Amino acid sequence: MIKLCTIGAGSWVQEGHMPAIREVDGIKLIAVSDVDERRVKLFQEKYGVKGYSDYNEMLAKESPDAVLVAVPHVLHAKVASQVLEAGAHVYLEKPMATNLEDAMALAQLAKKRGKMVMIGHEHRFGQGSVIARRLLESGRLGRIYHSKAEYVRRRGIPAGPTFVTKELAKGGALFDIGSHVIDLAMFLSNFPRPVKAYGRTYMNFSERREMFSNYPKTQRSNRLEVEDTALGLVTFEDGSTMFVEASWASFTKVDRRHVAVMGDKGGVDLEGNDLSFMTTVDGEFMNSQPIQGQQFLYQDIWRKFSEAVSSNLSSAPFPGTTAQQGVLEMAVMEGIYRSAERGEEVRIDVNVRELGWVDHDA
Ligand SMILES: NC(=O)c1ccc[n+]([C@@H]2O[C@H](COP(=O)([O-])OP(=O)(O)OC[C@H]3O[C@@H](n4cnc5c(N)ncnc54)[C@H](O)[C@@H]3O)[C@@H](O)[C@H]2O)c1
């Protein structure tokens, strides 16, 4: 039985992860830690596990095999490193870190310790994404030259300080939802190395309560200190490009999570979970959809994570986002932010050799 602990007992652990973890055989949550003692107490009452306000004490006393880390973004890399040092595997919520240097150091530490850091990008486990990845691997897309990673909400600024304060979140829509579609677009393009980025960020709705996702439930005046919208055009070493659009709030007609990958033989398009595959057959332009296209199930993700932990990572290639992949994604996001700050295109320098990149990492 895999002994699991969680660092952070916030909404996502309770609503997203806990219902799934309890369904999976072979893994058991034994303890929770959170600086908010009231949350720890409520969590303990609900799930009957041990509780701590200091996660280092929990790591020392419980010696977990794996730890779920779901704390504010600025703490991700530091907390995950401490978990690795304590000898456990990590399920780390996105974004992996808030800068490239920390992401790189975390990936190197994971390698040194022989432990896994899986980043919480769930959309690649959906049926549509799995089929799209197989189409890529079979060569049916040909040479990839462009992708689109778009996640756009209409009224969807999160309310909590974990997401909207500079101090805890560092970045806004790009880190929160852009990271998910960047992961999927890069996964479906075989993880090319980013070399340049042009980015723009916007803070249009800082004081506009009606653009927050919890409106009108709370009358509390939320103040957004990070971007509500980020755009980017990224160039990769092989000459291919990726267009990124992440927005928590915008006057658009529909909410949209969209990833498209274009190759010279075919293309895949994921509108939410719905996959389309375009190609030509005997000169005819064809557009096909699989019969299966369901949403991922969190239980499946936890099952795969557990299998990787119990096999001590020998069950490669691992289907989740690895630390190495996370580093390339962080390089893209940091490049977009740097470019937006400077107002010009920037170079991205990420040494994949330092990461110990091997083919199956892509
Ligand atoms: N994968 C997804 O789709 C998805 C969805 C929602 C949230 N998330 C991620 O999950 C993480 C948590 O989000 P949330 O919505 O639960 O936020 P939240 O604010 O509800 O929870 C964060 C928790 O971390 C605790 N915390 C802060 N500092 C701590 C420390 N030093 N030690 C221990 N606990 C500490 C806070 O007290 C709080 O309970 C974020 O990284 C977020 O991006 C991912």
Side-chain angles (χ1 to χ4, degrees), residues 87-360:
H89 297 279
V90 191
Y91 187 135
L92 175 60
E93 267 307 340
K94 50 80 195 165
M96 177 181 186
T98 51
N99 61 64
L100 179 57
E101 194 184 337
D102 289 353
M104 182 66 105
L106 181 60
Q108 285 171 329
L109 183 63
K111 195 167 167 55
K112 193 165 144 203
R113 296 270 175 252
K115 298 289 172 196
M116 166 174 59
V117 175
M118 171 174 134
I119 327 281
H121 291 303
E122 54 271 12
H123 299 293
R124 63 156 85 176
F125 289 87
Q127 268 296 331
S129 311
V130 170
I131 298 169
R133 172 74 191 186
R134 266 194 250 129
L135 289 167
L136 170 82
E137 286 171 355
S138 69
R140 285 188 176 84
L141 307 186
R143 182 185 55 80
I144 307 300
Y145 62 90
H146 184 57
S147 64
K148 292 183 194 180
E150 301 165 307
Y151 205 145
V152 176
R153 291 183 188 155
R154 300 196 291 173
R155 171 186 281 171
I157 303 176
T162 291
F163 297 93
V164 299
T165 60
K166 193 88 188 154
E167 188 195 355
L168 295 180
K170 289 279 184 232
L174 185 63
F175 275 166
D176 180 33
I177 52 178
S179 61
H180 281 312
V181 279
I182 290 171
D183 175 67
L184 196 47
M186 290 183 73
F187 180 58
L188 297 177
S189 326
N190 245 342
F191 281 92
R193 320 306 191 237
V195 289
K196 276 191 263 175
Y198 177 76
R200 292 291 302 265
T201 55
Y202 302 87
M203 287 177 71
N204 289 315
F205 303 111
S206 309
E207 313 265 2
R208 296 273 289 273
R209 275 193 315 113
E210 82 273 23
M211 297 305 270
F212 280 69
S213 53
N214 60 355
Y215 181 83
K217 277 194 228 140
T218 175
Q219 293 306 309
R220 184 160 57 94
S221 154
N222 298 288
R223 204 188 134 68
L224 183 61
E225 297 170 354
V226 289
E227 89 283 355
D228 50 61
T229 298
L231 304 178
L233 179 66
V234 182
T235 306
F236 298 98
E237 195 178 52
D238 60 5
S240 65
T241 47
M242 173 170 63
F243 172 67
V244 177
E245 181 175 1
S247 183
W248 277 332
S250 53
F251 291 113
T252 47
K253 204 169 168 201
V254 286
D255 287 328
R256 191 171 193 216
R257 194 183 77 238
H258 176 235
V259 168
V261 174
M262 282 151 262
D264 60 4
K265 287 191 186 156
V268 285
D269 189 291
L270 276 157
E271 196 66 75
N273 304 305
D274 294 333
L275 172 68
S276 296
F277 168 52
M278 282 69 58
T279 191
T280 49
V281 177
D282 295 337
E284 293 300 330
F285 193 104
M286 307 291 281
N287 178 352
S288 45
Q289 286 83 34
I291 292 172
Q292 289 175 306
Q294 314 99 298
Q295 161 84 304
F296 60 86
L297 293 173
Y298 260 108
Q299 291 92 308
D300 289 344
I301 301 177
W302 276 100
R303 208 165 281 123
K304 288 186 170 121
F305 177 80
S306 308
E307 279 163 18
V309 169
S310 32
S311 73
N312 217 12
L313 309 185
S314 58
S315 55
F318 179 63
T321 307
T322 64
Q324 284 97 332
Q325 295 169 353
V327 169
L328 293 191
E329 295 167 6
M330 186 51 60
V332 164
M333 291 188 280
E334 193 192 75
I336 291 174
Y337 281 135
R338 262 193 301 124
S339 164
E341 252 175 57
R342 285 201 210 161
E344 60 187 20
E345 189 177 54
V346 295
R347 280 204 65 77
I348 296 177
D349 224 350
V350 52
N351 188 340
V352 292
R353 260 183 229 103
E354 257 181 47
L355 279 176
W357 189 276
V358 288
D359 278 349
H360 75 248

Side-chain angles (χ1 to χ4, degrees), residues 10-12 34 39 71-73 75-76 93-94 120 122 162 180:
S11 357
W12 189 235
D34 198 299
R39 275 194 169 171
V71 289
H73 304 166
L75 296 172
H76 283 187
E93 267 307 340
K94 50 80 195 165
E122 54 271 12
T162 291
H180 281 312

